[in-house]
Amino acid sequence: MGNSEYILNCEGISKAFGGTQALKDVQLHIKPGEVHALLGENGAGKSTLMKCVIGLVKQDTGTMEFEGKPYQANGPVDALNCGISMIHQELNPEPHLTVAESIFLKRENTKGFLLDKKAQNKRCEDLLSKFEVPYTAKTKMKELTLAQVQMVEIIKAVSCDSRLIIMDEPTSSLDSTETDHLFEVIRDLKAKGVAIIYISHRMEEIFEICDRVSVFRNGTYVDSRDMEGVTRDELISMMVGRDVKSVFPKVDCEIGETVFKVDKISGKGFHDISFEVHAGEILGLSGLVGSGRSETMRAIFGLDPLESGTMYLEGKEITNKSPRDSIKKGICMVNEDRKNYGLCLLRSIRENISLPNLPAKQKGFLLNQKREKKEVGEVAKKLTVKCASLEHNGFSLSGGNQQKVVLAKWIMANPKVLILDEPTRGVDVGAKSDIHTLMCEFAAKGMAVIMISSELPEVMGMSDRILVYHEGTINGEVSRKEILANAITQENILQMAFGQR
Ligand SMILES: Nc1ncnc2c1ncn2[C@@H]1O[C@H](COP(=O)(O)OP(=O)(O)OP(=O)(O)O)[C@@H](O)[C@H]1O
Ligand SMILES: [Mg+2]
């Protein structure tokens, strides 16, 4: 090795977890100052390779070289000291720490043996001022939204003077303004000679920000290319090894009676919300992150209190005091933050999928384990959940596959109203298309589907109707007809999200 053209060289890396060969003899070469995309389906091995780079996982075979010298990190702190930092896909903030404590964790400002809080907070404020964030050094991590936590991680990496920053799906919970902001930061870093490994399932972003791309498939290295001259379809077929429709599979089905209706509901983060959703309809909720969409749905689902207003299910007034209450009535919700709400990582995949459905199955009959296994297996197969066995724990799944398991569990419950909060966040193109197809199947069965999505192409491609949120209220409504006729564009929806009529 010793090839000075590259800042990072990985050669012949293999890694197995029990029976799963996550990486088979892969390579990766990163140039200084480039933004290098790592592309591959869910479970292709992207995160695992990055974990090898920062020493969180020890590869079985293979060697690495960083800045011309043999390199092997013993762990993230070691990697950080060598000049490599990573922003993880599944964020795990310490809720009781402040922003400053979180940013300087394990490299605190000290005065002799004492922690110099004041100096640390000051240093942190200086850093934050460069990023226009709505929190201070003293804000507790638990008060931040997922998007804000992610920004803290990015600021932390920047503050460490890293020469290589790995970003594992950094934009998956950012809205378009926050993403633009991140891209500015990335361009800045690049200009300073920092190399970035950028993992994302969003093709538009990869074309916008990346210089080169390496593609992985099923634990193997496929190829590396310059972004200039490569097409979207070429990349997709390199990734999946088969053709996938890159357009949305929306099928129009008959829209029936009103299934669910809310009248002037208000709560924390939203006010005066009225809408109805019909059988067979997919209702999209667009808007900036923090505009009140998730808050509304959380209150409807009984996760948060409703302060005023009424809800009707099939014409009858209802109240949902808890998620359990809602599920019983036939209203289910797939949450955006799967780790906190959706998945028990220490339970088996099978248990995760069938957990909410057990009460229904036990009514009158005894739980039929054989049937449970069969049904869970079918749903998992339909969603192409990539796992060695359904008996393995949730935490062994790749990020995108965790999302599929969360989805599978509610699908099994067969609800009247299905609320999906960012259902395809972190899900690869192939699986995304599978999930969209499933959504259409549910609608065709007469289910009313409500989908929150911050991806404009998704919300525009899949919805029969779109409600656009702005600062806690609905600022506009768009029909599929208007979208198909090009009477409403992405820009128009963004303008509504920013408060214009
Ligand atoms: N700790 C673990 N124990 C067992 N299996 C694991 C573990 N970590 C990863 N795997 C398996 O290794 C494979 C690669 O996973 P990895 O997380 O690297 O995928 P990925 O390319 O990052 O996918 P995604 O796009 O969904 O994030 C998957 O089949 C996954 O289930
Ligand atoms: Mg991953």
Side-chain angles (χ1 to χ4, degrees):
M1 288 202 282
N3 193 338
S4 60
E5 192 193 345
Y6 299 107
I7 185 169
L8 176 75
N9 282 312
C10 302
E11 291 287 352
I13 310 276
S14 297
K15 174 72 194 174
F17 295 103
T20 312
Q21 190 73 40
L23 293 170
K24 280 167 246 159
D25 191 24
V26 301
Q27 50 172 295
L28 187 67
H29 305 284
I30 308 293
K31 294 178 189 171
E34 75 170 347
V35 183
H36 194 111
L38 210 55
L39 205 60
E41 285 188 290
N42 294 134
K46 306 176 296 290
S47 298
T48 303
L49 180 61
M50 294 304 105
K51 285 176 188 163
C52 292
V53 172
I54 61 156
L56 210 55
V57 161
K58 175 86 173 72
Q59 72 270 24
D60 301 332
T61 64
T63 54
M64 289 181 257
E65 205 174 68
F66 183 63
E67 296 181 323
K69 291 194 268 308
Y71 162 88
Q72 180 73 53
N74 285 322
V77 180
D78 194 20
L80 206 62
N81 289 332
C82 294
I84 303 180
S85 54
M86 173 160 176
I87 295 156
H88 287 272
Q89 178 175 18
E90 298 299 320
L91 295 168
N92 228 347
E94 293 281 348
H96 55 278
L97 294 186
T98 65
V99 169
E101 285 162 352
S102 196
I103 287 181
F104 295 108
L105 195 67
K106 301 218 172 84
R107 48 191 190 104
E108 284 87 358
N109 261 60
T110 48
K111 234 188 213 166
F113 285 111
L114 293 175
L115 178 66
D116 188 348
K117 261 204 173 152
K118 224 167 142 192
Q120 183 164 294
N121 283 339
K122 170 79 180 54
R123 248 177 94 195
C124 185
E125 289 299 346
D126 288 346
L127 259 174
L128 295 183
S129 66
K130 291 186 200 137
F131 290 87
E132 298 168 37
V133 288
Y135 43 83
T136 70
K138 291 179 190 160
T139 310
K140 289 258 195 273
M141 291 303 283
K142 65 172 175 230
E143 288 162 33
L144 303 186
T145 64
L146 211 59
Q148 291 168 339
V149 171
Q150 209 153 27
M151 207 60 205
V152 170
E153 291 289 313
I154 291 164
I155 294 171
K156 179 175 179 172
V158 170
S159 77
C160 292
D161 266 334
S162 303
R163 271 93 67 203
L164 172 65
I165 301 180
I166 300 164
M167 299 186 177
D168 197 349
E169 300 193 36
T171 58
S172 59
S173 55
L174 305 186
D175 66 32
S176 50
T177 345
E178 290 167 313
T179 300
D180 285 347
H181 192 84
L182 171 69
F183 284 0
E184 272 170 43
V185 175
I186 291 179
R187 289 193 184 102
D188 243 31
L189 290 168
K190 199 178 130 170
K192 291 189 182 109
V194 176
I196 288 161
I197 298 179
Y198 190 89
I199 303 180
S200 173
H201 290 292
R202 298 187 183 168
M203 287 286 186
E204 301 83 32
E205 291 182 354
I206 289 176
F207 276 96
E208 183 176 345
I209 197 79
C210 298
D211 304 299
R212 287 204 307 139
V213 54
S214 291
V215 180
F216 283 63
R217 182 165 72 223
N218 212 1
T220 59
Y221 168 83
V222 179
D223 202 2
S224 297
R225 303 277 279 275
D226 286 329
M227 285 309 293
E228 220 170 280
V230 73
T231 68
R232 194 189 158 97
D233 285 349
E234 274 175 281
L235 286 180
I236 293 179
S237 66
M238 280 162 81
M239 266 169 75
V240 277
R242 63 185 155 99
D243 283 334
V244 172
K245 276 184 264 126
S246 55
V247 292
F248 292 95
K250 171 91 176 105
V251 267
D252 291 317
C253 58
E254 200 176 319
I255 299 204
E257 311 244 297
T258 301
V259 176
F260 182 67
K261 181 177 158 177
V262 296
D263 190 26
K264 294 209 174 71
I265 56 168
S266 301
K268 195 170 172 274
F270 64 94
H271 50 94
D272 251 347
I273 302 288
S274 302
F275 67 81
E276 47 185 60
V277 53
H278 305 87
E281 185 177 40
I282 299 177
L283 179 68
L285 300 188
S286 190
L288 304 179
V289 169
S291 59
R293 298 168 302 168
S294 298
E295 288 76 4
T296 311
M297 292 305 132
R298 286 174 57 90
I300 287 175
F301 187 53
L303 273 165
D304 293 330
L306 204 60
E307 284 161 13
S308 61
T310 23
M311 308 196 281
Y312 303 89
L313 182 66
E314 296 176 324
K316 276 203 286 283
E317 191 177 328
I318 56 159
T319 51
N320 288 336
K321 293 205 172 50
S322 65
R324 184 182 209 127
D325 206 17
S326 309
I327 293 165
K328 245 198 256 156
K329 294 186 180 106
I331 301 177
C332 289
M333 174 159 169
V334 176
N335 250 297
E336 82 179 307
D337 185 354
R338 52 189 170 250
K339 204 175 228 161
N340 282 340
Y341 307 108
L343 210 60
C344 305
L345 295 180
L346 294 175
R347 294 264 202 154
S348 77
I349 299 164
R350 175 179 52 75
E351 286 173 299
N352 263 295
I353 295 179
S354 66
L355 222 51
N357 307 304
L358 292 183
K361 285 212 190 93
Q362 278 165 331
K363 229 182 220 166
F365 310 92
L366 286 172
L367 175 67
N368 183 339
Q369 275 210 357
K370 218 164 139 192
R371 202 181 99 197
E372 181 206 355
K373 265 195 185 149
K374 185 167 163 271
E375 285 181 11
V376 169
E378 277 167 9
V379 175
K381 203 168 140 209
K382 208 162 185 183
L383 287 173
T384 57
V385 174
K386 187 173 181 285
C387 58
S389 156
L390 286 172
E391 302 306 321
H392 285 180
N393 283 352
F395 86 91
S396 68
L397 290 170
S398 77
N401 280 304
Q402 289 182 7
Q403 177 70 352
K404 291 191 216 168
V405 168
V406 175
L407 207 63
K409 89 175 186 188
W410 294 122
I411 284 166
M412 294 256 314
N414 203 19
K416 292 175 189 152
V417 182
L418 182 64
I419 304 169
L420 305 169
D421 195 351
E422 307 284 359
T424 62
R425 181 161 84 92
V427 168
D428 69 56
V429 275
K432 212 169 191 160
S433 165
D434 294 342
I435 289 174
H436 288 148
T437 304
L438 268 168
M439 283 170 61
C440 294
E441 281 176 26
F442 295 144
K445 273 197 223 156
M447 215 180 267
V449 181
I450 303 176
M451 172 186 68
I452 298 179
S453 170
S454 295
E455 265 186 84
L456 282 172
E458 173 173 67
V459 83
M460 293 177 75
M462 288 306 297
S463 311
D464 291 293
R465 218 154 32 95
I466 302 172
L467 304 177
V468 187
Y469 265 68
H470 171 67
E471 294 188 346
T473 56
I474 295 170
N475 189 40
E477 184 175 327
V478 175
S479 71
R480 181 161 179 79
K481 232 179 166 170
E482 288 169 302
I483 291 169
L484 291 179
N486 285 324
I488 294 279
T489 63
Q490 290 205 17
E491 281 70 38
N492 298 140
I493 293 185
L494 259 181
Q495 281 159 357
M496 289 182 210
F498 277 109
Q500 290 174 33
R501 287 263 158 190

